């Protein structure tokens, strides 16, 4: 008898995956025949492009709103949306107009434009009273915020949560095993001992946070308000209030990274739930999909950093990149913040995501599957395990790669694209009810194929 994986026969998973792969190949002869891979390291221009559960990558011809089309003419309802990069839809009209206009005036010149004035005010309006800087990625923004934290506290370590997502920040490339912090497996060319500068604890475990902070060597806690990079884990009641109280008690700073949780609502999880970080980081969708990120310091921290900055020796700060804060970024930031990241669009996203959450939950219940659905605003995930989950260790244990890959491939062949790295789906302002209902129907059909 075939073993069960999260309630599903391993043989049935293999059958569904094989059928999906065959159908995928048959529908994409041009992508299959393309001779482009030899020029690229590992066959793709960015290695994550190989992580999709298909026999070969599809080549995208165009995307608009909440759909994309490959070079073979297959149109897909897009619920991945660039893994949050296009959370507000592909090429929002205000952003596309702003980019076209700025492109005719120059792409980069290492000097500010008038858009800088508007963007600063809009950032404070949307996210709170911070003193802002621009980066190209949230990874860079997190790195720079951590430099500030270490500078003003004189401490070396950062506390992160087991299973966290903060881009490719070196200090976050750690995990918790048998109560000890260690480097994550698989890191390429890792030579530094990450445990010298980072400590990992479980999400929702305030006692563990306090034990780590009590050592007196933690400059900052780097925290996403919800664990998002594997199986989504929600904060338990009182967790964020307790975390803020502990960081203040032990003199550590609190950096909130909203790069994924910006789906929560206008102003992200921070504004929606009244968090009080010392530093705020946001990337991916903040400029409508153009590479850009923002990081801001609360006024008190900004003053502490200014005092430090006035006394440091002349030399390179180790912060900033040449193309960051270019005028193209500011044009996209201004259009996104003013015309795309609006209360009306968030309301539409929230309503659509609630519809999706309910439909997926019904499909799971109909099969009696031991699974559950989690939602944070416009972000919805199905998890192939009972819930709720409480920490990163539980999230890792709930992850079922072969089963999830089969589901993703089956959904794609039914015209629905979701994120390849986890079971994440986003509802954009451009996503229609019809698209949501098609995804629910595709998910339902997939579950029937797996469980019957």
């Amino acid at each position: 008898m075939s073993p069960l994986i999260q309630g599903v026969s391993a043989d049935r998973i293999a059958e569904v995956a094989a059928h999906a792969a065959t159908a995928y190949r048959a529908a994409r002869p041009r992508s299959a025949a393309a001779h482009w891979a030899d020029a690229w390291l590992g066959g793709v221009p960015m290695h994550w492009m190989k992580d999709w559960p298909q026999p070969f990558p599809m080549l995208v011809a165009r995307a608009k709103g909440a759909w994309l089309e490959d070079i073979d003419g297959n149109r897909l309802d897009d619920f991945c949306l660039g893994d949050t990069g296009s959370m507000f839809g592909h090429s929002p009209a205000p952003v596309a107009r702003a980019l076209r206009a700025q492109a005719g005036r120059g792409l980069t010149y290492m000097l500010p434009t008038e858009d800088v004035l508007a963007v600063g005010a809009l950032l404070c309006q949307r996210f709170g009273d911070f003193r802002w800087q621009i980066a190209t990625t949230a990874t860079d923004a997190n790195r720079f915020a951590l430099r500030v934290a270490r500078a003003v506290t004189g401490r070396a370590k950062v506390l992160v949560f087991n299973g966290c997502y903060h881009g490719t920040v070196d200090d976050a490339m750690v995990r918790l095993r048998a109560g000890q912090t260690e480097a994550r497996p698989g890191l390429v060319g890792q030579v530094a001992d990450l445990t010298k500068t980072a400590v990992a604890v479980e999400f929702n475990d305030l006692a563990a946070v306090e034990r780590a902070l009590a050592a007196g060597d933690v400059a900052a806690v780097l925290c996403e308000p919800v664990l998002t990079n594997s199986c989504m884990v929600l904060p338990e009641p009182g967790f964020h209030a307790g975390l803020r109280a502990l960081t203040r008690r032990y003199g550590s700073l609190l950096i909130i990274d909203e790069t994924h949780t910006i789906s929560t609502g206008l102003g992200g999880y921070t504004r929606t739930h009244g968090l009080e970080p010392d530093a705020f980081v946001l990337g991916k969708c903040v400029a409508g999909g153009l590479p850009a990120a923002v990081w801001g310091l609360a006024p008190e921290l900004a003053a502490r950093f200014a005092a430090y900055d006035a006394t440091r020796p002349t030399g390179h700060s180790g912060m900033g990149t040449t193309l960051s804060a270019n005028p193209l970024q500011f044009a996209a930031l201004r259009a996104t913040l003013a015309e795309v990241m609006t209360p009306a669009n968030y309301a539409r996203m929230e309503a659509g995501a609630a519809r999706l959450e309910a439909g997926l939950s019904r499909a799971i219940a109909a099969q009696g599957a031991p699974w559950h659905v989690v939602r944070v605003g416009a972000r919805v995930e199905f998890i192939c395990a009972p819930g709720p989950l409480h920490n990163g260790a539980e999230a890792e244990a709930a992850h079922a790669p072969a089963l999830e890959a089969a589901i993703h491939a089956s959904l794609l062949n039914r015209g629905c694209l979701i994120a390849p790295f986890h079971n994440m789906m986003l509802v954009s302002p451009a996503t229609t009810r019809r698209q949501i209902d098609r995804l629910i129907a595709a998910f339902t059909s997939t579950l029937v194929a797996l469980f019957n």
Side-chain angles (χ1 to χ4, degrees):
M1 182 176 178
S2 173
L4 295 181
I5 300 175
Q6 308 294 46
V8 184
S9 159
D11 288 344
R12 184 57 58 85
I13 292 171
E15 290 170 8
V16 168
H19 180 270
T22 299
Y24 180 90
R25 288 190 182 92
R28 290 169 178 82
R30 290 187 62 195
S31 286
H35 297 289
W36 57 278
D38 290 346
W40 300 99
L41 179 65
V44 288
M46 197 270 288
H47 68 91
W48 286 338
M49 292 176 177
K50 295 193 297 184
D51 288 348
W52 297 84
Q54 284 86 45
F56 50 84
M58 74 175 79
L59 298 179
V60 177
R62 58 187 180 130
K64 183 67 178 175
W67 57 265
L68 60 79
E69 185 175 299
D70 66 21
I71 64 170
D72 289 283
N74 300 292
R75 181 174 289 198
L76 301 171
D77 294 328
D78 188 3
F79 291 88
C80 174
L81 294 171
D83 198 30
T84 309
S86 294
M87 188 180 77
F88 298 105
H90 295 290
S91 299
V95 178
R97 287 194 299 268
L99 292 177
R100 283 195 296 268
Q102 182 58 50
R105 298 192 291 265
L107 301 181
T108 189
Y109 25 78
M110 226 170 76
L111 288 166
T113 64
E114 284 190 305
D115 282 338
V116 170
L117 308 177
V119 168
L122 285 164
L123 286 170
C124 290
Q125 179 184 333
R126 288 286 180 260
F127 305 114
D129 186 19
F130 296 96
R131 304 297 175 261
W132 298 96
Q133 288 280 276
I134 304 298
T136 301
T137 69
T139 293
D140 286 340
N142 280 318
R143 286 184 180 130
F144 304 154
L146 285 173
R147 279 191 174 271
V148 169
R150 286 169 168 146
V152 302
T153 64
R155 300 175 177 181
K157 285 191 175 181
V158 55
L159 184 151
V160 296
F161 292 100
N162 189 36
C164 66
Y165 172 79
H166 299 293
T168 54
V169 175
D170 282 355
D171 307 87
M173 296 292 109
V174 294
R175 66 178 186 177
L176 191 66
R177 282 295 181 275
Q180 299 296 314
T181 302
E182 65 179 30
R184 292 185 184 183
L187 294 176
V188 175
Q190 185 64 44
V191 293
D193 181 356
L194 297 179
T195 66
K196 300 295 186 184
T197 56
V199 57
V201 304
E202 291 290 6
F203 196 68
N204 283 320
D205 189 344
L206 290 175
V209 171
E210 182 162 21
R211 286 193 298 272
L213 297 187
D217 58 355
V218 173
V221 174
L222 179 57
C223 176
E224 51 178 337
V226 175
L227 285 189
T228 61
N229 205 41
S230 180
C231 297
M232 195 155 63
V233 179
L234 300 178
E236 294 175 354
F239 173 70
H240 280 297
L243 180 63
R244 178 69 277 195
L246 288 171
T247 52
R248 286 177 172 148
R249 181 184 308 166
Y250 291 101
S252 299
L253 300 174
L254 177 60
I255 304 171
I256 294 292
D257 180 357
E258 292 263 16
T259 298
H260 278 169
T261 54
I262 189 61
S263 65
T264 306
L266 192 66
Y269 201 99
T270 296
R271 266 288 172 90
T272 302
H273 294 279
L275 306 189
E276 299 177 355
D278 297 299
F280 179 97
V281 171
L282 174 61
K284 292 201 177 184
C285 66
V286 71
L290 189 82
V294 298
W295 59 284
L297 306 181
E300 181 183 355
L301 178 55
R304 290 176 65 185
F305 179 63
Y308 163 87
D309 201 36
T311 63
R312 72 179 177 88
T314 301
H316 200 297
S317 66
M319 298 158 61
T321 55
T322 302
L323 296 182
S324 293
N326 68 66
L328 205 63
Q329 287 176 318
F330 273 103
L333 282 163
R334 183 175 186 175
T336 300
L337 293 167
E339 301 179 67
V340 179
M341 195 178 283
T342 63
N345 275 343
Y346 266 107
R348 181 177 177 85
M349 294 156 68
E350 176 87 15
R355 183 182 185 90
L356 177 58
E357 177 188 26
L360 298 181
S361 296
R362 286 195 303 270
I364 289 170
Q367 296 302 320
W371 303 358
H372 70 290
V373 179
V374 184
R375 180 168 71 88
V376 175
R379 182 188 183 102
V380 181
E381 293 187 17
F382 63 86
I383 297 174
C384 303
L389 305 175
H390 300 94
N391 55 47
E394 290 185 9
E396 183 177 354
H399 189 43
L403 173 58
E404 292 165 12
I407 296 170
H408 295 192
S410 177
L411 293 177
L412 188 145
N413 285 328
R414 289 173 165 85
C416 302
L417 185 72
I418 71 172
F421 314 116
H422 32 74
N423 305 321
M424 187 274 290
M425 296 149 282
L426 286 165
V427 173
S428 77
T431 305
T432 66
R433 280 194 169 194
R434 183 172 295 181
Q435 288 179 301
I436 293 168
D437 290 346
R438 279 199 294 262
L439 176 54
I440 294 168
F443 184 75
T444 301
S445 297
T446 297
L447 263 60
V448 169
L450 287 167
F451 282 93
N452 297 281

